[in-house]
Amino acid sequence: VDERCIPAEIDYERHVEQFSGADRWSPEAVPPVIERLKSEARELGFWNLFLPHPVPGHLLAGDDNESGSMSPSIYLSNREYGILCEVMGRSSLAPEACNCSAPDTGNMEVLLKHGTKSQQSAYLKSLLQGKIRSAFLMTEPDVASSDARNLETKLTKIVGEGGRVKYVLNGKKWWSTGAMDPRCKVALVVAKMDYSHPSCSSEGTKEQPKRGYQTVVIVPMTHPGVKCVRPLTVFGYDDAPHGHAEVCLENVVLDESAVVLGEGRGFEISQSRLGPGRIHHCMRAVGLAARCYELMLERTTQRRTFGKYLHEHGSCRELIADSASDLEAARLLTLSCAEDIDSLGARGARDKIALIKFTVPELTSRVVDRAVQIFGGAGVCGDFPLARALVGLRTLRIADGPDAVHKQSLALLELKKAKKRMQSRI
């Protein structure tokens, strides 16, 4: 990461800066340096390190020589992989270079855990080889998507002659990370089942389950009904050529093979990808904040004000001490959560998963914010990674659900444990 990825960031940015408008999401806009880094990572055995267990045998079969490159050199626990996520988080290029970047890792985990053999063969193999990228479409512009029951994208079921089933997908999504990337070939879409078609009259009378009728379907990005409406910016950054998009889904016709796990299983699938995914996000955040902290320390030994180096001022030393404390707290909280996932499973670690989701972005944001303050005007320009880091960490407090949702979840779990303790004393 330090020897290859961080030095390559300048080449990456310079290449993308050559393009403007729609060309920023063209195949030519993808910097060649990323493929070079991917080749080096694969040769070093730093490929697909997120994989929790061996790749299914049917994916390894075939004539191409790259089949064997899908498997990592070693299989890691969540805690072990979390430590590597901190290292990869130091550079914006490292996760992709190791084929360990979001949303691909979460999508690959879903297909690995819940996908059929045909679904895995169609998309998982190419994702594991790093040949294509993917997107996860859940958030919608017209509703508060932190409550998945509000989703309005509909998956209409139609039962034809002989019981043959097809689905028609309609809706609008946004903050679809990677959807405009020219390498993005497939999306996992969360939609609400619609049984209003006359052919499904009996199913339409069923009582709606507690979690709704959310269903996940696999949609090829080349489908004529899938239209990327516009790129979205995050505090002014478009993150091209990967970026984020608003996507329109209009009369996207799918067959039964597109449904993942089954109708109404969307909540279950989404949660299965978010548990380990939060370890990845949080430890990468720690790595990013650690890099900014190190830059801050260096800055305090190089710049002078009022006859002293910055580090000689008491106020500056306080910022350093607070940052060291916040970094270590964020790191240990996340690793503790990862250890619980390893030993208890994601369900057994729900309290700590919720805890790190809102605590770690806040802790790491404070570290980067202090670094920006120490750097002064240089901290808010593009000459250093601080401004972009601050934007990314602030956004993390919204991504995968806002802080308020996770605080509520943690509070309910803590109250449940308290009531259980009280009852045991009766």
Side-chain angles (χ1 to χ4, degrees):
V1 173
D2 288 340
E3 294 177 5
R4 297 286 190 273
C5 295
I6 290 178
E9 290 174 356
I10 296 175
D11 290 340
Y12 187 98
E13 293 296 334
R14 284 176 179 168
H15 181 87
V16 178
E17 286 172 0
Q18 300 176 74
F19 300 86
S20 60
D23 290 340
R24 288 174 66 79
W25 284 271
S26 65
E28 293 75 22
V30 179
V33 68
I34 196 65
E35 288 302 321
R36 175 173 60 80
L37 291 173
K38 287 164 71 173
S39 296
E40 291 178 359
R42 188 184 284 109
E43 290 172 4
L44 291 168
F46 302 149
W47 190 257
N48 288 338
L49 290 170
F50 71 94
L51 282 177
H53 54 75
V55 175
H58 66 275
L59 294 181
L60 298 175
D63 296 328
D64 74 69
N65 295 324
E66 296 187 42
S67 294
S69 67
M70 292 186 289
S71 301
S73 56
I74 186 174
Y75 292 96
L76 305 169
S77 65
N78 282 289
R79 185 181 181 280
E80 291 167 335
Y81 179 62
I83 294 170
L84 296 184
C85 280
E86 177 178 351
V87 178
M88 288 188 283
R90 294 175 61 84
S91 170
S92 58
L93 303 184
E96 183 179 355
C98 298
N99 209 36
C100 293
S101 57
D104 296 331
T105 51
N107 291 340
M108 285 189 273
E109 286 170 347
V110 166
L111 292 172
L112 192 61
K113 185 175 182 180
H114 304 295
T116 63
K117 286 186 176 182
S118 61
Q119 290 170 344
Q120 292 174 347
S121 298
Y123 297 108
L124 179 57
K125 185 172 183 177
S126 295
L127 284 167
L128 288 169
Q129 291 174 339
K131 291 182 176 180
I132 65 171
R133 299 210 63 182
S134 62
F136 187 78
L137 279 59
M138 180 174 178
T139 306
E140 299 181 1
D142 299 328
V143 295
S145 305
S146 56
D147 182 350
R149 293 170 297 185
N150 290 337
L151 298 183
E152 294 180 341
T153 297
K154 290 185 178 181
L155 185 66
T156 304
K157 184 176 183 179
I158 301 173
V159 182
E161 294 182 4
R164 181 174 297 177
V165 175
K166 72 174 182 179
Y167 301 91
V168 181
L169 182 67
N170 283 282
K172 185 162 57 174
K173 300 288 187 179
W174 73 342
W175 296 114
S176 305
T177 300
M180 291 188 67
D181 191 316
R183 300 162 296 177
C184 182
K185 304 302 180 186
V186 62
L188 299 189
V189 182
V190 182
K192 184 177 289 186
M193 286 303 304
D194 173 25
Y195 297 113
S196 62
H197 192 271
S199 64
C200 301
S201 56
S202 60
E203 295 185 74
T205 60
K206 290 180 181 177
E207 182 180 354
Q208 182 171 338
K210 182 180 178 181
R211 297 295 184 182
Y213 284 125
Q214 283 76 26
T215 300
V216 173
V217 288
I218 302 172
V219 178
M221 292 299 292
T222 53
H223 194 290
V226 179
K227 296 180 177 63
C228 288
V229 179
R230 57 172 176 145
L232 302 173
T233 59
V234 183
F235 291 97
Y237 293 101
D238 65 8
D239 296 329
H242 193 52
H244 321 272
E246 180 177 328
V247 181
C248 179
L249 304 164
E250 186 175 356
N251 296 324
V252 179
V253 180
L254 305 165
D255 58 27
E256 288 182 285
S257 67
V259 178
V260 180
L261 196 58
E263 296 174 8
R265 306 289 292 274
F267 181 83
E268 177 185 346
I269 293 169
S270 298
Q271 289 303 303
S272 72
R273 82 190 291 277
L274 289 179
R278 284 173 186 149
I279 299 295
H280 308 169
H281 279 312
C282 288
M283 287 307 289
R284 283 196 292 262
V286 171
L288 179 59
R291 179 182 173 186
C292 296
Y293 173 64
E294 291 166 11
L295 290 172
M296 178 180 77
L297 290 175
E298 293 173 7
R299 191 77 165 183
T300 64
T301 66
Q302 297 166 343
R303 293 298 177 106
R304 296 172 64 90
T305 59
F306 306 105
K308 297 179 181 180
Y309 283 104
L310 292 179
H311 69 84
E312 294 177 310
H313 292 279
S315 59
C316 183
R317 290 177 178 177
E318 186 174 348
L319 295 179
I320 292 171
D322 287 342
S323 296
S325 173
D326 286 346
L327 264 180
E328 190 67 6
R331 179 182 294 115
L332 294 179
L333 278 173
T334 309
L335 292 178
S336 173
C337 177
E339 191 164 342
D340 278 9
I341 293 177
D342 287 331
S343 59
L344 305 174
R347 184 172 180 81
R350 284 181 302 164
D351 53 348
K352 289 188 178 179
I353 291 173
L355 175 63
I356 64 169
K357 180 56 183 66
F358 66 82
T359 303
V360 173
E362 175 68 23
L363 290 171
T364 52
S365 291
R366 294 197 311 224
V367 173
V368 178
D369 185 69
R370 295 185 193 109
V372 169
Q373 194 68 19
I374 290 293
F375 269 74
V380 296
C381 77
D383 293 354
F384 297 91
L386 305 180
R388 188 183 286 269
L390 192 60
V391 164
L393 293 174
R394 180 60 185 87
T395 306
L396 196 55
R397 294 177 57 191
I398 300 172
D400 291 346
D403 287 359
V405 171
H406 300 287
K407 288 182 178 181
Q408 177 173 276
S409 298
L410 177 60
L412 291 173
L413 289 168
E414 290 296 304
L415 289 167
K416 185 177 181 180
K417 287 188 282 187
K419 290 176 181 177
K420 190 174 181 179
R421 287 195 302 269
M422 292 166 65
Q423 290 175 351
S424 68
R425 294 197 296 264
I426 298 176

